[in-house]
Amino acid sequence: MTEHSKSSALRNTDGVSESEITNVNSISNIKKKRKLKPTTDALISQILEGNITALSRAITLVESSNVKHLQQANTIIQGCLKQANKSVRIGITGVPGVGKSTFIEAFGMHLTSVGKKVAVLAVDPSSSLSKGSILGDKTRMEDLVKNEKAFIRPSPSGTSLGGVARKTRETIILCEAAGFDTIIIETVGVGQSETAVHSMVDFFLLLKLAGAGDELQGIKRGIIEMADAIAINKADGENLKAAKLAKVEFNRALHLYPQKASEWQPKVSLCSALKQEGISDIWELISTYIKHTKANGYFEKNRKEQSKFWLLQTIEERLKSDFFNQPEIKEELQKQLQLIDEGKTTPFVAAEYLLQL
Amino acid sequence: MTEHSKSSALRNTDGVSESEITNVNSISNIKKKRKLKPTTDALISQILEGNITALSRAITLVESSNVKHLQQANTIIQGCLKQANKSVRIGITGVPGVGKSTFIEAFGMHLTSVGKKVAVLAVDPSSSLSKGSILGDKTRMEDLVKNEKAFIRPSPSGTSLGGVARKTRETIILCEAAGFDTIIIETVGVGQSETAVHSMVDFFLLLKLAGAGDELQGIKRGIIEMADAIAINKADGENLKAAKLAKVEFNRALHLYPQKASEWQPKVSLCSALKQEGISDIWELISTYIKHTKANGYFEKNRKEQSKFWLLQTIEERLKSDFFNQPEIKEELQKQLQLIDEGKTTPFVAAEYLLQL
């Protein structure tokens, strides 16, 4: 409710007709006010005009668990599709402490200074649990928050990575339709969220610190393999020497991997987000990558493959949740697990039984 | 047909009653012969008596794609369950060229020499394509094939790893019921098959060569992380020095991983399967591991978790195949993929549409 009233209030200031405003003023009870929520069509055209309030509102619908909201969200997305897909999507990951927020602030400010419109989103499936998660505290990006050319939206909350990923992926489309040409998607350097983000971006940037000793971790979990570039942050002052050494080592590690389908050799860069050094180099590197992959057709091909991946992924997740959430299955599953524990059935016979129900 | 006649012929020599033999002799046409296939109950009791022909026959039922055969197979497995689970299951992996067949031959011969009954199975999802796959050519294990205490069965063929894994996992139960107390499951060092094998064994052995330079590959793909021991094969002659060095390196790599749930510190061993050196050490190491994990409860706990994993895995695979194999879905999926390609829908809207059908 509060959210809605706030939106309505704000709405009056951007792009709503006079007669609508008059209507709002003449209404005294909440029920009637509700009816005045902009129609789906109005929301679509407001988003396409770059109206941030309408964008926020549509994202709220995408994030809702209410079926009606979701239907409305789908219609809005459908209406935004023609204007979508015209952006560069950049995934940024790194373990806590690597300086992600500071980097994104510096990077985002640089992008807007060269005329870009930047949306910063996040994928953090833990956000509903830990509350204070990445991007949750916008104050860590003081300048970017105040920047008119930037839009920051914290991670949607959700019980599953799949749910959070879906919401973020749809939010990308809405942001693009609203005119944001550079989408940054932040994720934490833990769990499977990197893989999810990797499969929704054009360029994947891994933030590292010199001498953090987590190289093996990155190799093991396949994150280094996904990176199109590694930026070694905090490469300043006494840390600079170690950062230069780390650059050599990461370059060597990157060369151990077979060539990527993009035919792009991942690069290692040094930067200091705090001192705003090396930030423009990273944007140049990304621009080179985009030019390279647009020229060889990989950019377009990759986006299509990502869409197909998400189509199949979404269906699989839904099939599973529809099946396992049936009360009868829940109950019988427990019984079958018990029988397996007691050695009275096999997983395959039990599976067959549950599927027959 | 040939398979069946052969089985019938063999069956007469092991454990079939006089009257049955008389019956067989008096029959002249194939139709009547078919009726004489041992009943499901007879097969169960023959397997429990250690009858190899009955075991092979039951495995053929498990591997069949005929629904009636599968139902019969399920009944047999159910009947065998009480006698199953009394074995040590060992997974062995390694890239082609590492000497897997030679190792398994030497290892299997050692095991039978200390009184074990050894079944050697394989998980190789590529077997239906490449034909000449691992264990396909039994002649590579000349001595073990002739060994009465050993039973070798090539990888079942199948279109999916899931299918091959299911068949192998049920075959393990049949082999155990037939009295095999040591089950070796071989897999090739490529693809996802290691993960599948790892989740059906008690102990996972990784075969390596010194200086093969595929350490990163092993770390990357999580195989080193799964290993309970690494055996560096061909550690003989001029190769011995390099093998000793590799042992130090692998030991160091293994220590970089956090402690396993089994509380077992993975070991590195040297061996020469060709010269039959170091083979008994590896069996001792496995025995120590089994004692250790039986004492701390991990052995039992792990088996139960594996069963639960396979239950969920089987259901998920079936839900997917049941959905995607519907002719209408197949057709509509192609249309939706086309719409995604043209930017006319989103993966999530398309998924929703397909799920509603």
Side-chain angles (χ1 to χ4, degrees):
Chain A
M1 219 24 249
T2 330
E3 174 85 10
H4 283 164
S5 327
K6 212 170 70 190
S7 297
S8 293
L10 281 168
R11 194 165 51 85
N12 298 340
T13 65
D14 19 44
V16 182
S17 71
E18 275 293 316
S19 63
E20 263 191 279
I21 293 178
T22 318
N23 275 341
V24 170
N25 292 339
S26 68
I27 284 152
S28 55
N29 72 54
I30 292 164
K31 217 164 184 178
K32 280 186 188 164
K33 241 184 199 168
R34 270 193 184 153
K35 280 187 189 161
L36 273 178
K37 277 192 282 184
T39 62
T40 307
D41 283 349
L43 266 178
I44 293 172
S45 52
Q46 285 167 14
I47 290 170
L48 296 179
E49 284 161 11
N51 180 328
I52 298 300
T53 310
L55 172 63
S56 297
R57 200 153 185 173
I59 297 175
T60 303
L61 291 172
V62 162
E63 292 176 353
S64 169
S65 52
N66 177 312
V67 178
K68 273 195 178 172
H69 290 170
L70 285 181
Q71 285 167 344
Q72 204 189 344
N74 280 349
T75 313
I76 294 170
I77 290 163
Q78 208 75 29
C80 286
L81 271 180
K82 273 188 196 164
Q83 294 303 316
N85 284 308
K86 292 166 187 167
S87 74
V88 171
R89 303 170 184 166
I90 303 164
I92 297 183
T93 189
V95 294
V98 78
K100 270 197 305 294
S101 298
T102 318
F103 178 85
I104 291 171
E105 161 113 326
F107 187 58
M109 290 304 285
H110 173 72
L111 288 174
T112 57
S113 81
V114 297
K116 299 288 170 191
K117 280 193 75 185
V118 182
V120 183
L121 313 174
V123 169
D124 178 7
S126 67
S127 63
S128 54
L129 300 168
S130 62
K131 309 279 180 186
S133 67
I134 50 170
L135 286 183
D137 185 8
K138 285 191 187 180
T139 58
R140 286 188 293 163
M141 298 186 189
E142 273 188 0
D143 293 332
L144 206 57
V145 163
K146 287 180 258 164
N147 192 319
E148 277 194 351
K149 285 177 168 176
F151 174 75
I152 301 181
R153 180 91 183 189
S155 179
S157 62
T159 47
S160 74
L161 175 58
V164 173
R166 175 189 68 75
K167 294 169 188 174
T168 305
R169 218 169 171 281
E170 300 196 324
T171 298
I172 293 175
I173 291 170
L174 296 175
C175 290
E176 289 173 347
F180 291 96
D181 52 26
T182 315
I183 317 285
I184 294 173
I185 302 157
E186 177 186 9
T187 188
V188 282
V190 289
Q192 293 296 307
S193 51
E194 271 103 351
T195 313
V197 169
H198 180 252
S199 60
M200 58 175 85
V201 297
D202 307 310
F203 186 93
F204 197 65
L205 177 67
L206 172 59
L207 290 184
K208 280 282 187 183
L209 292 182
D214 60 347
E215 289 77 6
L216 183 75
Q217 199 62 19
I219 295 176
K220 236 175 66 187
R221 293 180 38 242
I223 297 173
I224 288 189
E225 195 169 6
M226 293 192 291
D228 296 304
I230 297 174
I232 301 169
N233 194 20
K234 303 189 185 177
D236 48 34
E238 287 181 359
N239 213 9
L240 189 58
K241 203 178 154 189
K244 282 181 178 169
L245 263 174
K247 182 177 170 175
V248 175
E249 276 165 31
F250 276 117
N251 252 324
R252 196 185 298 139
L254 285 171
H255 275 89
L256 289 171
Y257 290 88
Q259 195 183 40
K260 292 186 168 225
S262 59
E263 296 173 5
W264 166 261
Q265 176 57 45
K267 308 277 188 295
V268 186
S269 232
L270 298 183
C271 69
S272 167
L274 200 67
K275 304 205 166 184
Q276 299 177 30
E277 287 167 4
I279 302 296
S280 61
D281 295 345
I282 291 170
W283 174 238
E284 261 178 47
L285 196 150
I286 296 175
S287 303
T288 309
Y289 171 90
I290 300 297
K291 253 182 241 165
H292 166 83
T293 52
K294 283 199 171 168
N296 70 10
Y298 178 80
F299 186 91
E300 197 54 36
K301 196 174 144 243
N302 182 46
R303 282 214 172 173
K304 284 184 181 172
E305 274 171 16
Q306 289 179 339
S307 288
K308 288 176 190 174
F309 168 80
W310 284 104
L311 168 62
L312 299 177
Q313 189 76 2
T314 307
I315 292 178
E316 287 171 18
E317 288 225 353
R318 272 284 299 278
L319 290 174
K320 275 198 271 178
S321 66
D322 285 356
F323 181 81
F324 287 110
N325 285 333
Q326 295 169 70
E328 196 189 355
I329 294 293
K330 272 187 185 170
E331 200 186 315
E332 285 297 326
L333 177 62
Q334 289 314 313
K335 285 186 195 164
Q336 292 298 315
L337 287 172
Q338 184 62 33
L339 289 174
I340 287 176
D341 260 7
E342 293 164 3
K344 287 180 184 161
T345 187
T346 72
F348 303 102
V349 174
E352 199 57 46
Y353 171 77
L354 289 169
L355 287 162
Q356 296 301 331
L357 282 179
Chain B
M1 217 27 250
T2 331
E3 175 81 11
H4 282 163
S5 329
K6 213 171 72 189
S7 296
S8 292
L10 280 167
R11 192 165 52 87
N12 297 342
T13 63
D14 20 42
V16 181
S17 72
E18 274 295 317
S19 64
E20 263 192 280
I21 293 176
T22 318
N23 274 341
V24 170
N25 292 340
S26 68
I27 284 154
S28 55
N29 70 54
I30 292 164
K31 217 163 185 181
K32 280 185 188 166
K33 241 184 197 167
R34 271 195 182 152
K35 281 188 188 161
L36 273 176
K37 276 192 283 183
T39 62
T40 306
D41 283 351
L43 266 178
I44 294 173
S45 53
Q46 285 165 17
I47 291 169
L48 295 178
E49 285 161 10
N51 180 325
I52 298 299
T53 310
L55 173 62
S56 297
R57 198 152 186 175
I59 296 175
T60 302
L61 291 172
V62 162
E63 292 176 353
S64 169
S65 53
N66 177 313
V67 177
K68 271 194 180 173
H69 289 171
L70 284 182
Q71 285 167 344
Q72 206 188 342
N74 279 349
T75 313
I76 294 170
I77 290 163
Q78 207 74 28
C80 286
L81 270 180
K82 273 188 197 164
Q83 294 303 315
N85 283 307
K86 292 166 187 167
S87 74
V88 171
R89 302 169 185 168
I90 303 163
I92 297 182
T93 189
V95 293
V98 78
K100 269 198 305 294
S101 297
T102 318
F103 178 84
I104 291 173
E105 162 113 326
F107 187 58
M109 290 304 285
H110 173 73
L111 289 174
T112 57
S113 80
V114 297
K116 298 288 170 192
K117 280 192 75 184
V118 182
V120 183
L121 313 174
V123 169
D124 179 7
S126 67
S127 63
S128 54
L129 300 168
S130 62
K131 310 277 178 189
S133 68
I134 51 169
L135 285 182
D137 184 8
K138 284 190 185 181
T139 57
R140 285 188 293 163
M141 299 186 188
E142 274 187 0
D143 293 332
L144 205 58
V145 164
K146 288 180 257 165
N147 191 320
E148 278 193 351
K149 286 178 170 174
F151 173 75
I152 301 181
R153 180 92 182 187
S155 178
S157 61
T159 47
S160 75
L161 174 60
V164 173
R166 176 191 66 79
K167 294 170 189 175
T168 305
R169 219 170 172 279
E170 301 196 323
T171 299
I172 293 174
I173 291 170
L174 296 174
C175 290
E176 289 173 347
F180 291 96
D181 52 26
T182 315
I183 317 286
I184 293 173
I185 301 156
E186 177 187 9
T187 188
V188 282
V190 288
Q192 293 297 306
S193 52
E194 273 103 351
T195 312
V197 169
H198 181 251
S199 61
M200 58 175 85
V201 298
D202 307 311
F203 187 94
F204 197 66
L205 178 67
L206 171 60
L207 290 183
K208 279 282 187 182
L209 292 182
D214 60 347
E215 290 77 7
L216 184 73
Q217 199 61 21
I219 294 176
K220 236 175 66 187
R221 291 180 38 242
I223 297 172
I224 289 190
E225 195 169 5
M226 293 193 291
D228 296 304
I230 296 173
I232 300 168
N233 194 20
K234 305 189 184 176
D236 48 33
E238 288 180 0
N239 212 9
L240 189 57
K241 204 178 155 190
K244 282 181 180 170
L245 263 175
K247 182 177 170 176
V248 175
E249 276 165 30
F250 276 116
N251 252 324
R252 195 185 300 140
L254 284 171
H255 274 90
L256 289 172
Y257 290 89
Q259 195 183 41
K260 291 184 168 229
S262 59
E263 296 174 4
W264 167 260
Q265 175 57 45
K267 307 277 189 291
V268 186
S269 232
L270 297 182
C271 69
S272 166
L274 200 69
K275 304 206 165 181
Q276 299 177 29
E277 287 165 4
I279 302 296
S280 61
D281 294 345
I282 290 168
W283 175 237
E284 260 177 50
L285 195 150
I286 295 175
S287 304
T288 309
Y289 172 89
I290 300 297
K291 252 183 242 165
H292 166 82
T293 52
K294 283 199 171 168
N296 71 9
Y298 178 79
F299 186 92
E300 196 56 34
K301 196 175 145 243
N302 183 44
R303 282 212 171 175
K304 284 183 180 173
E305 274 172 15
Q306 288 179 339
S307 289
K308 289 175 189 174
F309 168 80
W310 285 104
L311 168 62
L312 300 177
Q313 189 77 0
T314 307
I315 292 178
E316 287 171 17
E317 288 227 352
R318 272 284 299 279
L319 291 174
K320 275 197 272 179
S321 65
D322 285 357
F323 182 81
F324 287 109
N325 285 333
Q326 296 169 67
E328 197 191 353
I329 294 293
K330 272 186 186 172
E331 202 187 311
E332 284 295 327
L333 177 62
Q334 289 314 315
K335 285 186 195 165
Q336 292 297 317
L337 287 172
Q338 184 62 33
L339 289 174
I340 286 177
D341 259 8
E342 295 164 3
K344 289 182 183 158
T345 187
T346 73
F348 303 103
V349 173
E352 199 56 46
Y353 171 78
L354 290 168
L355 286 162
Q356 296 301 332
L357 283 179

